[in-house]
Amino acid sequence: MTNLLLRLYIAGPSATSRRAEQNLRRLRDVAKARDGLAVEIIDVLKNPELAEQAAIIATPTLALEHPVRPRRIIGDLSDVERVLDFLGIESEGTKA
Amino acid sequence: MTTEDADIAAVLDRVQTGVQAFDELVMGGLPRARTTVVGGTPGSGKTVFATQFLAHGITTFGENGVLVTFEEPPADIEANMRGFGWELAKWRKDGRLGFVDASPPASDELIIGDFDLVGLLSRVQHAVKTVNAKRVVLDSLTQLFDHFIGDPKILRRELFHISSALKKSGLTVLMTAERNSEYGEITRHRLEEFVADNVVILRNVLYREKRRRTIEVLKMRGSHHAEGEAPFTLLANQGVVAVPLSSLRLEQQSSTVRVTSGNSEIDKMCGGGFFRDSVTLVSGATGTGKTLLVTNFLAGGVVAGEKAILFGYEESKGQLFRNASGWGADFAQMEAAGKLKIVCLYPEAQGLPDHLLTIQSLVDEFQPNRIAVDSLSALERIAPDTGFREFLISLTSFIKKREIAGLCTATSKSLIGGESVSEQHISTLTDSIILLRYIQEQNTMNRGLMVLKMRGSEHAKEIRKFTIDSAGMHFGESFKTAPNVFTGDDIAR
């Protein structure tokens, strides 16, 4: 089982930030390998230097930290299936 | 103090850009705590202008800056701007300049749902705090917009948000934006509508195979500004140098001090010589003696203890020296004595604004009492009409401002009579006009000289016959019956 690290960069308590956090929780619930998924949430208002390091422009940004093929999704992640698909994570609904 | 007062005070506080002539166009600089959009086509000098704004703040006013770049990585910009003498890397190390690299990331990216640009804003604010910046540049908005091209509505909202947040912190913001054409919509995606208090346009127009750069202030909220395009040029170690159009103000003092033209007869015809801060135009067909007049003008000044400078655009230095020595003036010796400076340039070597700046900087360096330009017609070849007119206005007002005597020549197209095109532009700008003409009398072709105009002075009205030999110009009688010097028609018939 590979461990995947997902970092979610949000901007304070905005509505889109909250929606993105909720959607990320839903995403973890439906992911097949949920135990292998680590999630970190970073508030760019509190930690602008981390946003600088990661070269964040838009918020929310979900970053899949992967040595070979890093990926990023911008937005409130409202379409969970598409998010999983783009990140290459299988969900429980996916037929084997 | 009411809020209104505060607002007015804030408007009046100006932030100098470092482009001197531009600051004059906008009454001292860009208003503090406002956003200015600088629009221009690719290669029009937006990034140079924007970087200069930061550089000037850092080097001259101790106002630190932040550069947000959406296209080129900071290292590239540092390298590109080194040629203008700006040590971005050093300033960055010294904590006077902050970079925010917002160029598109290398990783795959997808947009799902609503988003904002608070991530970018917080990075900018963090950089501003770190270097205690007063000036911020975003270069360029168009790249940012294209990055999120699928969501134009969100982007407009967010740009507005960023702009107002930065203004609220008292920052003076300059954003660049691309234009598709030199004369069309103000910027691509009409970005300026959402963020700009002020709009400045840089142009790089191709006209008759020549590039002409201009800067125009299109809008300046709550403030006056000069209208129309002002020429500028990009110079190594200086960046953007706008060419001052001194026609904005007619404030030159008029002197009554006379100086010699280098020829006692012409001095007499002019009522005692040229005025010290006047510009005289000598117009005539080829071979009528214009260069001889120039030689006399220069040598006469040097003999009277003055310093003289010549800008020659038709002949080489060697030719000029040979001509002068043929008429008994030793230019080489005068130059060695530091009394004379001869500068020969190909008109095509650079654009007119650069020629003007060359003249200005050499004059300020050499500090001459008199200047000659031979000839304007050669310079006219290389420029569009509007550019040439601006050049003449700037040149004549510069000469007057420095309170030095100027002599310019123009070549008329036809051998007998006829106006040169330069004349049409310059005749209203110069104080005096001397015409040199071929005049036919029966079977001989004579040369005639007349003082057509002498502002603020009496002058001889007759056309004087003259000859040229190895000792120079010799005046004879005036013509008793002369043909019309303008058309060449024989009116005495």
Side-chain angles (χ1 to χ4, degrees):
Chain A
M1 187 189 290
T2 46
N3 277 312
L4 287 180
L5 175 58
L6 290 174
R7 283 205 177 101
L8 179 65
Y9 295 86
I10 55 162
S14 74
T16 39
S17 298
R18 264 204 327 272
R19 275 204 305 279
E21 284 183 73
Q22 282 164 5
N23 288 330
L24 186 60
R25 269 200 297 275
R26 271 176 52 210
L27 182 150
R28 272 195 85 178
D29 291 344
V30 298
K32 234 180 193 170
R34 76 190 65 140
D35 297 334
L37 271 186
V39 169
E40 255 178 48
I41 293 177
I42 294 162
D43 186 344
V44 298
L45 297 183
K46 286 182 189 143
N47 301 295
E49 66 286 349
L50 292 181
E52 180 61 45
Q53 264 173 36
I56 298 300
I57 296 171
T59 37
T61 292
L62 181 67
L64 170 68
E65 308 296 347
H66 192 283
V68 185
R69 26 151 265 204
R71 297 190 172 193
R72 286 184 173 192
I73 298 178
I74 288 165
D76 60 15
L77 313 176
S78 49
D79 188 338
V80 172
E81 284 303 317
R82 268 185 79 200
V83 175
L84 287 169
D85 187 44
F86 182 72
L87 297 178
I89 299 171
E90 283 179 49
S91 74
E92 285 187 333
T94 317
K95 283 177 188 112
Chain B
M1 201 161 73
T2 65
T3 47
E4 254 182 48
D5 288 341
D7 204 32
I8 289 166
V11 170
L12 289 177
D13 190 12
R14 298 292 175 154
V15 181
Q16 288 182 28
T17 61
V19 185
Q20 203 186 351
F22 172 78
D23 288 339
E24 284 170 24
L25 293 181
V26 293
M27 311 296 144
L30 298 175
R32 188 175 292 282
R34 293 283 173 111
T35 301
T36 303
V37 165
V38 177
T41 51
S44 58
K46 297 184 296 295
T47 302
V48 181
F49 185 84
T51 311
Q52 188 162 355
F53 167 73
L54 292 179
H56 193 63
I58 289 169
T59 55
T60 313
F61 296 102
E63 289 190 357
N64 294 348
V66 165
L67 178 56
V68 187
T69 158
F70 296 103
E71 192 183 19
E72 295 171 288
D76 286 7
I77 294 185
E78 285 175 358
N80 295 344
M81 294 299 140
R82 207 165 290 143
F84 296 110
W86 302 323
E87 304 287 339
L88 302 191
K90 182 180 175 297
W91 296 335
R92 174 158 67 157
K93 277 186 205 105
D94 296 346
R96 302 165 80 185
L97 176 69
F99 268 109
V100 174
D101 182 0
S103 48
S107 55
D108 288 351
E109 199 178 79
L110 181 73
I111 298 173
I112 298 177
D114 192 18
F115 66 92
D116 55 44
L117 295 182
V118 177
L120 175 66
L121 177 60
S122 74
R123 287 171 66 195
V124 175
Q125 285 173 327
H126 179 62
V128 164
K129 220 171 170 181
T130 308
V131 301
N132 187 25
K134 296 278 183 287
R135 305 178 178 207
V136 175
V137 164
L138 283 80
D139 183 40
S140 82
L141 291 188
T142 311
Q143 253 81 39
L144 176 67
F145 204 92
D146 289 346
H147 185 176
F148 299 103
I149 193 75
D151 307 88
K153 270 189 195 152
I154 293 179
L155 220 73
R156 286 176 182 146
R157 181 193 73 201
E158 290 304 311
L159 281 178
F160 178 77
H161 179 61
I162 289 176
S163 169
S164 33
L166 295 179
K167 272 156 63 178
K168 220 173 264 169
S169 319
L171 295 161
T172 309
V173 186
L174 200 152
M175 304 181 175
T176 66
E178 296 224 333
R179 310 184 67 216
N180 290 328
S181 60
E182 297 296 356
Y183 296 94
E185 63 175 359
I186 298 172
T187 61
R188 205 182 291 166
H189 313 307
R190 300 200 65 84
L191 296 170
E192 76 288 347
E193 288 177 9
F194 312 96
V195 292
D197 298 305
N198 318 311
V199 178
V200 172
I201 297 207
L202 301 178
R203 290 194 177 87
N204 185 15
V205 182
L206 186 65
Y207 182 80
R208 286 205 211 148
E209 301 176 9
K210 291 281 167 193
R211 285 280 170 195
R212 184 174 127 83
R213 294 180 184 276
T214 63
I215 189 165
E216 179 189 11
V217 183
L218 197 68
K219 163 177 149 183
M220 187 110 326
R221 201 172 271 168
S223 165
H224 294 288
H225 63 85
E227 292 182 348
E229 297 178 34
F232 77 93
T233 181
L234 294 178
L235 294 183
N237 290 317
Q238 290 184 62
V240 177
V241 179
V243 179
L245 282 183
S246 310
S247 60
L248 301 172
R249 302 177 304 268
L250 264 176
E251 60 181 19
Q252 299 92 0
Q253 299 286 314
S254 265
S255 168
T256 53
V257 179
R258 303 264 188 170
V259 295
T260 179
S261 68
N263 183 302
S264 56
E265 284 297 319
I266 296 176
D267 285 351
K268 260 182 242 163
M269 292 172 76
C270 293
F274 299 155
F275 287 115
R276 194 186 61 197
D277 56 356
S278 72
V279 178
T280 304
L281 175 71
V282 176
S283 171
T286 177
T288 46
K290 294 189 300 297
T291 303
L292 173 56
L293 264 184
V294 168
T295 306
N296 285 344
F297 177 74
L298 296 170
V302 172
V303 166
E306 295 184 0
K307 284 168 82 177
I309 192 165
L310 167 69
F311 291 91
Y313 300 99
E314 289 191 339
E315 289 169 296
S316 70
K317 209 163 169 168
Q319 278 173 302
L320 284 168
F321 276 41
R322 200 184 53 215
N323 294 344
S325 65
W327 292 315
D330 190 351
F331 274 6
Q333 192 266 324
M334 291 177 190
E335 203 168 45
K339 288 293 181 187
L340 179 71
K341 192 175 179 72
I342 308 271
V343 182
C344 290
L345 291 166
Y346 275 112
E348 283 80 5
Q350 51 187 2
L352 267 191
D354 297 88
H355 275 299
L356 183 63
L357 291 166
T358 304
I359 292 173
Q360 290 181 344
S361 66
L362 284 172
V363 163
D364 284 341
E365 187 189 306
F366 187 65
Q367 297 284 338
N369 306 91
R370 50 179 63 199
I371 174 177
V373 177
D374 186 29
S375 71
L376 293 175
S377 309
L379 288 174
E380 190 179 13
R381 281 205 310 266
I382 64 163
D385 293 350
T386 48
F388 186 66
R389 197 162 55 236
E390 278 163 7
F391 169 81
L392 282 181
I393 292 170
S394 305
L395 178 66
T396 49
S397 60
F398 171 76
I399 290 174
K400 286 163 178 233
K401 230 186 213 165
R402 292 293 182 278
E403 297 195 347
I404 55 184
L407 185 80
C408 303
T409 64
T411 310
S412 36
K413 282 180 179 153
S414 65
L415 286 177
I416 299 172
E419 278 188 44
S420 72
V421 188
S422 320
E423 237 171 76
Q424 294 165 9
H425 289 309
I426 202 177
S427 54
T428 54
L429 296 169
T430 54
D431 302 288
S432 317
I433 298 177
I434 293 175
L435 293 183
L436 301 176
R437 292 287 186 258
Y438 287 115
I439 291 171
Q440 188 181 353
E441 271 187 331
Q442 275 102 39
N443 294 330
T444 48
M445 190 61 94
N446 294 303
R447 292 188 176 92
L449 178 149
M450 75 172 291
V451 179
L452 189 66
K453 165 181 161 186
M454 182 85 194
R455 196 172 276 164
S457 169
E458 281 298 307
H459 62 87
K461 304 290 189 292
E462 79 267 16
I463 304 169
R464 291 283 296 276
K465 196 184 286 185
F466 71 93
T467 55
I468 297 175
D469 63 17
S470 61
M473 217 172 225
H474 300 283
F475 284 88
E477 295 294 294
S478 53
F479 288 89
K480 296 287 181 296
T481 54
N484 187 325
V485 291
F486 295 106
T487 62
D489 289 342
D490 192 351
I491 53 166
R493 210 167 5 208

